Amino acid sequence: MKRTGLIFLLGAIFTPFNATAETTTVCTLISDTKTGKTIVEEGECKTRATAASTFKIAISLMGFDSGILTDAHHPVWSFKEGYPDWRTAWREDTDPQYWIEQSVVWYSQQINIRLGEARFRNYVTSFDYGNADVSGDTGKQNGLTRSWLSSSLQISPAEQVEFISKMIRGELPIGKQAREMAMGLFDMGVQANGWHVLGKTGAGLSQNADGSPIKGQPWGWFVGWATRGEQTITFARLTHDSTRPAKSPGFAARDTFLAEYFATDSAF
């Protein structure tokens, strides 16, 4: 897809439009990472949606394991004309930490391009990541640059929690050092109730049966893990808006989830 088309598709998610949009929490899922025991399960947690920017967790693992990424600040790649740039912050030189902090789409794309189709597909398949469909838009052959962006790659909250739990337990086919460096990029700090939270937001458009995007009605993701003392939990929240919201649905999912579970003492 041309840059302008991608801007239209994803920019629609973030542009303020209707402050009264109805937001539905599709699923909230929290599990004990070590035992796999479910702590909280509310809603339809097997519903699949576009992976959107939560897929950066998987991309970071691929990047470090393959040696394309070397540490939090290397490599530094420069923005080029033609890259997705609907956010001003994306027009800057970018390293891995900045990539995650600003959710820079073109940096993800450049990692995948350097991996190549075969390695990219093999990683996603070995991760057992959602439907593992990295073909991209139908007939466009753009899986390396588009598959996770309201396209072919879909994942459910239950699958998100399983993927992240396997990562933390060292059960993915990734070297320990690569795994640790990747996980460090998602640090959100210690919260008010003492839980140290790491995670990633995501937002993407809903799709029709033929894969075409539905304007408005976006999904919102917040997925990750948290530690306190000897306990580690893994979580996923998925939301859906009836019309285009005033606030990024990923940010909204994150903020409400943190307020509900990490602002005061929790039961887990």
Side-chain angles (χ1 to χ4, degrees):
M1 179 180 289
K2 293 182 179 179
R3 177 169 63 93
T4 53
L6 186 59
I7 292 171
F8 177 80
L9 174 63
L10 294 181
I13 299 169
F14 305 110
T15 303
F17 181 73
N18 184 356
T20 62
E22 179 182 352
T23 301
T24 300
T25 298
V26 178
C27 168
T28 299
L29 183 60
I30 304 172
S31 74
D32 184 290
T33 310
K34 295 179 182 178
T35 67
K37 181 180 178 181
T38 299
I39 300 170
V40 175
E41 183 173 6
E42 299 173 351
E44 300 296 326
C45 295
K46 293 184 179 180
T47 298
R48 281 177 170 168
T50 175
S53 285
T54 67
F55 189 52
K56 287 183 172 70
I57 298 174
I59 296 174
S60 69
L61 292 169
M62 302 179 213
F64 281 113
D65 190 64
S66 65
I68 293 170
L69 306 181
T70 54
D71 60 41
H73 300 294
H74 297 91
V76 177
W77 294 332
S78 297
F79 171 79
K80 295 181 180 180
E81 286 297 321
Y83 286 176
D85 66 349
W86 61 89
R87 291 183 59 192
T88 303
W90 295 358
R91 301 169 190 166
E92 304 293 331
D93 288 353
T94 299
D95 64 15
Q97 191 66 68
Y98 188 84
W99 163 50
I100 298 304
E101 289 174 356
Q102 297 296 329
S103 208
V104 182
V105 167
W106 64 258
Y107 200 92
S108 301
Q109 294 172 333
Q110 291 303 307
I111 294 172
N112 295 345
I113 289 169
R114 286 163 173 78
L115 284 168
E117 290 185 5
R119 279 202 297 177
F120 178 60
R121 184 180 298 105
N122 288 341
Y123 271 123
V124 175
T125 301
S126 69
F127 292 169
D128 196 22
Y129 190 93
N131 66 356
D133 184 349
V134 292
S135 59
D137 299 329
T138 302
K140 298 293 182 65
Q141 297 183 329
N142 58 4
L144 288 174
T145 58
R146 287 281 297 119
S147 57
W148 67 100
L149 300 172
S150 300
S151 187
S152 61
L153 186 61
Q154 306 277 309
I155 191 168
S156 70
E159 290 167 330
Q160 292 269 27
V161 166
E162 181 66 13
F163 164 69
I164 293 171
S165 296
K166 286 181 177 179
M167 175 185 70
I168 296 168
R169 295 193 299 257
E171 296 173 359
L172 296 178
I174 296 293
K176 181 180 179 181
Q177 183 178 12
R179 176 170 58 89
E180 291 176 349
M181 287 193 293
M183 290 169 61
L185 298 178
F186 300 91
D187 194 340
M188 301 182 67
V190 177
Q191 305 301 300
N193 62 359
W195 282 91
H196 187 177
V197 174
L198 302 93
K200 186 70 186 76
T201 60
L205 297 180
S206 302
Q207 294 159 265
N208 293 303
D210 63 358
S212 60
I214 301 172
K215 297 177 183 178
Q217 302 181 33
W219 301 102
W221 281 109
F222 181 50
V223 304
W225 63 102
T227 61
R228 187 172 70 175
E230 297 299 314
Q231 189 175 12
T232 302
I233 60 171
T234 308
F235 59 82
R237 169 161 286 183
L238 176 64
T239 64
H240 191 255
D241 284 282
S242 58
T243 58
R244 189 189 309 169
K247 183 179 185 179
S248 165
F251 294 167
R254 175 197 63 197
D255 294 346
T256 55
F257 185 84
L258 290 177
E260 290 172 21
Y261 292 100
F262 297 106
T264 58
D265 201 27
S266 59
F268 47 82

